[in-house]
Amino acid sequence: MKRISRDDVMAAIGQVDDATIAEIIGTGATVEELAEAKAWIANDEPLMNIGKPLATGKVRELVDILSELEPDEDDEGGAAPAIQS
């Protein structure tokens, strides 16, 4: 199986910072594991409903990294940042 390259990360999740790309590549995961992690981020409930076990290992690491890229529900339409004086 092919390990993830910078191009694979960019193709899978779009433009992200170099630190995130390095963190994803650093997991040693494969392209298939990245695709599975993306599926968990997008559809965790349906995957659980069909009896798929929760993500573990490298896929779990990728899910954790990718979930940090998702906007928090609390942030949507939130207040403007405080002005420092």
Side-chain angles (χ1 to χ4, degrees), residues 66-80:
L66 296 176
S67 67
E68 292 293 318
L69 301 176
E70 295 289 308
D72 290 335
E73 290 178 13
D74 297 340
D75 291 346
E76 291 180 26

Side-chain angles (χ1 to χ4, degrees), residues 1-13:
M1 289 189 194
K2 180 184 176 221
R3 289 185 55 179
I4 299 171
S5 70
R6 179 181 182 83
D7 290 340
D8 295 328
V9 173
M10 303 277 286
I13 60 176

Side-chain angles (χ1 to χ4, degrees), residues 80-85:
I83 298 173
Q84 299 289 327
S85 52

Side-chain angles (χ1 to χ4, degrees), residues 2-85:
K2 180 184 176 221
R3 289 185 55 179
I4 299 171
S5 70
R6 179 181 182 83
D7 290 340
D8 295 328
V9 173
M10 303 277 286
I13 60 176
Q15 295 290 331
V16 293
D17 61 272
D18 288 341
T20 301
I21 292 170
E23 189 175 7
I24 291 170
I25 292 171
T27 64
T30 64
V31 173
E32 292 80 11
E33 289 167 325
L34 179 56
E36 184 177 341
K38 282 188 58 183
W40 273 108
I41 291 289
N43 304 301
D44 65 343
E45 199 168 313
L47 290 173
M48 287 187 288
N49 289 342
I50 63 169
K52 185 144 176 84
L54 292 175
T56 59
K58 292 177 184 175
V59 175
R60 177 79 244 168
E61 288 180 64
L62 292 169
V63 167
D64 292 342
I65 294 167
L66 296 176
S67 67
E68 292 293 318
L69 301 176
E70 295 289 308
D72 290 335
E73 290 178 13
D74 297 340
D75 291 346
E76 291 180 26
I83 298 173
Q84 299 289 327
S85 52

